[in-house]
Amino acid sequence: METVITSENFETLKNGSQPLVVDFWATWCGPCRMIAPIVEELAKEYDGKIAVGKCDVEENDELAAEYGIRNIPTILFFKEGKLVDKIVGAVSKPKLQEKFESLL
């Protein structure tokens, strides 16, 4: 299940007991809409193992700036509170799933 990521809950989720995957997106972004169903599927598949969230860059521009998000979609992968990987642009489900697996 995906969580809405905001400045208020980001640190708690990032430093939580599970790895965290954050999809930085915007409503007007076509490629973001293309990968949204894939991210949602993976969130369900990895429920209980990996926390998955979506962060709207327009509503949380300070978080986007903190991580240097210039292009969307950008997906960041955190483990033990540290940024360990990222993907910029729309990618296939197998490619995303590979990144999810690397967090376990």
Side-chain angles (χ1 to χ4, degrees):
M1 167 133 170
E2 294 173 300
T3 303
V4 174
I5 303 279
T6 64
S7 300
E8 288 76 38
N9 67 1
F10 175 71
E11 286 297 321
T12 302
L13 290 166
K14 183 179 84 164
N15 295 307
S17 59
Q18 296 178 345
L20 174 65
V21 175
V22 182
D23 176 11
F24 285 86
W25 71 290
T27 53
W28 48 262
C29 169
C32 298
R33 289 193 304 271
M34 283 173 40
I35 68 160
I38 298 170
V39 173
E40 193 175 325
E41 275 179 48
L42 290 170
K44 288 177 187 163
E45 288 176 31
Y46 288 87
D47 191 33
K49 297 183 217 158
I50 297 175
V52 179
K54 296 181 75 67
C55 182
D56 186 324
V57 296
E58 301 220 317
E59 294 176 8
N60 300 281
D61 56 341
E62 65 287 341
L63 266 181
E66 181 180 342
Y67 287 95
I69 307 296
R70 288 185 167 65
N71 299 303
I72 52 173
T74 293
I75 301 174
L76 301 183
F77 299 84
F78 295 90
K79 189 169 188 173
E80 297 171 1
K82 293 179 178 47
L83 178 63
V84 294
D85 207 348
K86 80 176 183 179
I87 292 177
V88 178
V91 294
S92 66
K93 183 175 179 183
K95 181 76 174 163
L96 258 180
Q97 191 156 18
E98 182 182 305
K99 299 286 187 182
F100 272 67
E101 283 294 321
S102 72
L103 290 175
L104 300 176

